[in-house]
Amino acid sequence: ELSVRSFILNLLLEILRIQENPADSRTVAASESTLMIAPALDFIEKNYMNQFTIDQLAELCHLSETHFRRVFLQTMGTSPLEFVNNTRINKACVLLKTTQESILYISEQVGFHTISSFNRCFSKAMGAAPREWRKQTLFSEGKSEQGAVSIIEEYKGWL
């Protein structure tokens, strides 16, 4: 499976090089960079809840840790650690909206070992503490649902 994936990535790189246009060289470079870090992006998506190091991600891409960090920042516009934390926060948002689980439980499920680091990262990314964000989200959804019901009831009398 790894050999096939490697072959496909090499084939895509060759196609990109053949089609390279001087005007599109920046796009091609970005595409090549994305292909270089694709194994790490896949790994993060599947294993965000586990603990792993940046060195492990770099090894997946067959790059040194320093070069991996440089390419990742160039391609994704953020550091690998920030990307992992943002992935975890996005998954936590889904759980906060769709479950009644405790914030501590959710923080552990998405890969944070301490509630304080979860709260700090969540507040930085979302602009509110997890508890406040959950209340605001549930309130705004409830408000829009109530508004929709009242509009339907008003129109019901006109029909």
Side-chain angles (χ1 to χ4, degrees):
E1 183 179 314
L2 186 59
S3 297
V4 171
R5 183 178 275 183
S6 173
F7 177 74
I8 290 172
L9 289 175
N10 283 330
L11 181 63
L12 287 172
L13 281 173
E14 287 302 317
I15 291 170
L16 287 172
R17 286 184 185 129
I18 291 169
Q19 293 179 346
E20 186 173 335
N21 218 345
D24 295 335
S25 63
R26 186 173 168 190
T27 306
V28 171
S31 298
E32 289 178 3
S33 296
T34 304
L35 289 174
M36 286 174 67
I37 64 168
L41 295 174
D42 288 340
F43 183 85
I44 291 168
E45 183 61 32
K46 293 175 186 169
N47 298 288
Y48 65 89
M49 71 292 293
N50 301 322
Q51 298 301 312
F52 49 86
T53 64
I54 303 303
D55 190 45
Q56 289 171 314
L57 295 175
E59 284 179 23
L60 287 171
C61 300
H62 306 289
L63 301 171
S64 70
E65 185 176 344
T66 305
H67 189 59
F68 173 76
R69 286 179 187 273
R70 188 179 314 115
V71 170
F72 196 97
L73 181 62
Q74 237 176 4
T75 306
M76 302 304 292
T78 185
S79 73
L81 180 60
E82 286 179 22
F83 183 83
V84 170
N85 284 339
N86 287 336
T87 300
R88 289 173 174 165
I89 295 300
N90 288 335
K91 302 295 183 179
C93 287
V94 171
L95 293 173
L96 286 168
K97 283 176 75 171
T98 59
T99 69
Q100 293 300 315
E101 297 292 342
S102 72
I103 293 171
L104 176 62
Y105 177 80
I106 290 172
S107 72
E108 291 170 348
Q109 291 301 303
V110 298
F112 287 94
H113 281 305
T114 63
I115 190 74
S116 61
S117 63
F118 174 69
N119 286 334
R120 184 174 48 255
C121 288
F122 192 95
S123 296
K124 181 181 174 188
M126 303 306 293
R131 190 172 315 282
E132 294 168 12
W133 187 87
R134 180 185 254 177
K135 285 180 185 177
Q136 291 171 354
T137 304
L138 294 177
F139 177 74
S140 66
E141 286 178 0
K143 189 174 182 179
S144 65
E145 288 174 9
Q146 289 175 354
V149 170
S150 65
I151 290 172
I152 291 170
E153 288 174 358
E154 287 180 33
Y155 286 119
K156 196 185 255 185
W158 295 350
L159 299 173

